[in-house]
Amino acid sequence: MLDHRELETLIAIVDGQSFDSAARHLHISPGAVSQRIKSLENRIGNSVLIRGIPPRTTAAGEQVLTYARRMLLLQNEMSLALKNNLNPGALSLSIAVNHDSLSCWFMDVVSSLNEQPHLSFDIHTSNTISTQELLKSGEVIAAITSKTNQVAGCKTRYLGQLEYIPVCSQSFFNSHFSSGIGKEQLKSAPIAIFDRNDDLVERFLTLYDMKTEQIKTHYIPSSHVLLDAVKRGIGWTMLPKLLIDDQLATSKLVVINSQSMFVELYWNTWEQVSEIIAQVEKQVISIATKKLVQY
């Protein structure tokens, strides 16, 4: 049987990125944190952490971390059901959400559950591919991802598609596309992309038999800063329609081609009997159905 305090300590180290941070969070000494981890490792007969900066979980540690998050969530739910005293935020949900979903619609989920005093969100952001890796590693208990393959022990629910459209500022359009949009014009028009895992511009350029390496490219890893960069005329890009609908209506942005690109989104979470996860999942699916494109 694994010890509750040891599991809680492992979570605190991973979330706080250090033994000292875990000690402050748990109101114990750094030495006590180390002792709990050593005890946990002796109990399972394997190391759970690579002692680096920051500490990282081993393969065994990932499995224990996943179990720990699920167990503590269920334990806190039970305490709440039995009306034991719980601190605000005792039901803390670590969820991986891709940047664009967080910018466009996921905060509606958080807002819809804001009246629950014991529930708090610990949101991890990444691209739609890496969010599933955070679920596999045990860092989060649920994830929104673009991957269809199911993680062992998890369930997957289809949410819909996030629509992206190619846009630029009016001044950028006048400088680069006033004579039309073709291969020659695109070659001289700088691009702004979220990061190197963002393939939406690459997918769009295949319509013109082109690749991004042929064009000057800026990498700007923030949905809102990327939007600002495009409005400043730094480059053109693919942005979520949900994020820019109001700015298209006021002509702050120009659509350079009517061809949209779509990214399918899925809700992944561990198979478990958890009332709070079921409530959150219900809200995620309900809001995604209204906000995302449904085919």
Side-chain angles (χ1 to χ4, degrees):
M1 178 69 68
L2 297 181
D3 182 82
H4 166 87
R5 294 182 308 165
E6 293 167 4
L7 297 177
E8 183 180 52
T9 303
L10 177 62
I11 292 173
I13 292 169
V14 171
D15 289 351
Q17 298 285 282
S18 75
F19 280 60
D20 287 342
S21 175
R24 290 191 296 271
H25 176 73
L26 298 172
H27 306 292
I28 59 177
S29 68
V33 170
S34 296
Q35 283 301 118
R36 288 185 183 182
I37 294 302
K38 286 178 183 177
S39 176
L40 174 61
E41 291 176 329
N42 289 334
R43 199 181 299 275
I44 68 171
N46 214 329
S47 62
V48 295
L49 286 172
I50 298 170
R51 271 73 165 175
I53 302 176
R56 294 182 293 113
T57 50
T58 61
E62 288 182 4
Q63 293 180 310
V64 175
L65 182 63
T66 297
Y67 170 80
R69 290 195 190 280
R70 296 161 69 184
M71 190 205 74
L72 290 179
L73 175 61
L74 292 171
Q75 185 172 3
N76 284 338
E77 282 190 11
M78 182 183 71
S79 296
L80 187 60
L82 295 174
K83 303 189 185 303
N84 289 353
N85 290 327
L86 282 177
N87 295 324
L91 298 177
S92 179
L93 296 185
S94 51
I95 299 178
V97 182
N98 62 298
H99 298 281
D100 286 339
S101 288
L102 186 61
S103 298
C104 293
W105 64 274
F106 192 80
M107 289 308 297
D108 289 354
V109 176
V110 177
S111 177
S112 71
L113 296 164
N114 196 43
E115 298 303 315
Q116 298 201 30
H118 296 291
L119 174 63
S120 63
F121 286 86
D122 180 6
I123 296 176
H124 300 236
T125 58
S126 185
N127 58 55
T128 54
I129 297 173
S130 299
T131 47
Q132 195 176 75
E133 298 306 312
L134 294 174
L135 183 64
K136 286 181 181 178
S137 70
E139 291 183 54
V140 299
I141 204 163
I144 292 174
T145 176
S146 61
K147 283 191 171 184
T148 58
N149 61 306
Q150 191 164 326
V151 179
C154 288
K155 61 181 178 180
T156 300
R157 295 288 302 271
Y158 174 72
L159 296 177
Q161 297 182 335
L162 193 55
E163 181 180 4
Y164 290 78
I165 53 179
V167 293
C168 66
S169 68
Q170 185 65 63
S171 60
F172 188 93
F173 187 89
N174 294 340
S175 297
H176 296 278
F177 301 129
S178 58
S179 63
I181 301 173
K183 202 165 185 176
E184 289 306 311
Q185 290 86 354
L186 286 167
K187 277 183 180 178
S188 63
I191 305 167
I193 299 178
F194 188 90
D195 62 20
R196 286 169 176 78
N197 292 313
D198 182 356
D199 69 343
L200 288 162
V201 168
E202 195 77 59
R203 285 167 54 188
F204 176 82
L205 288 175
T206 60
L207 300 174
Y208 298 88
D209 194 29
M210 296 180 67
K211 294 183 179 295
T212 53
E213 56 257 34
Q214 298 173 268
I215 307 167
K216 177 180 175 179
T217 303
H218 303 284
Y219 295 97
I220 305 172
S222 164
S223 300
H224 288 290
V225 179
L226 182 59
L227 170 58
D228 183 58
V230 171
K231 288 162 65 177
R232 289 170 182 262
I234 290 172
W236 69 271
T237 194
M238 303 289 298
L239 287 173
K241 189 172 182 294
L242 279 175
L243 185 65
I244 57 175
D245 262 339
D246 58 335
Q247 304 194 49
L248 291 173
T250 57
S251 302
K252 290 184 178 179
L253 293 173
V254 178
V255 179
I256 65 175
N257 187 301
S258 60
Q259 180 68 51
S260 296
M261 298 289 158
F262 296 88
V263 173
E264 292 187 340
L265 295 176
Y266 299 85
W267 169 256
N268 284 233
T269 189
W270 296 103
E271 284 281 9
Q272 59 185 338
V273 181
S274 167
E275 181 181 344
I276 193 62
I277 285 290
Q279 289 179 32
V280 172
E281 180 177 298
K282 182 179 178 181
Q283 287 303 111
V284 168
I285 293 170
S286 173
I287 290 169
T289 299
K290 296 171 187 173
K291 295 283 187 176
L292 302 179
V293 177
Q294 303 294 322
Y295 283 144

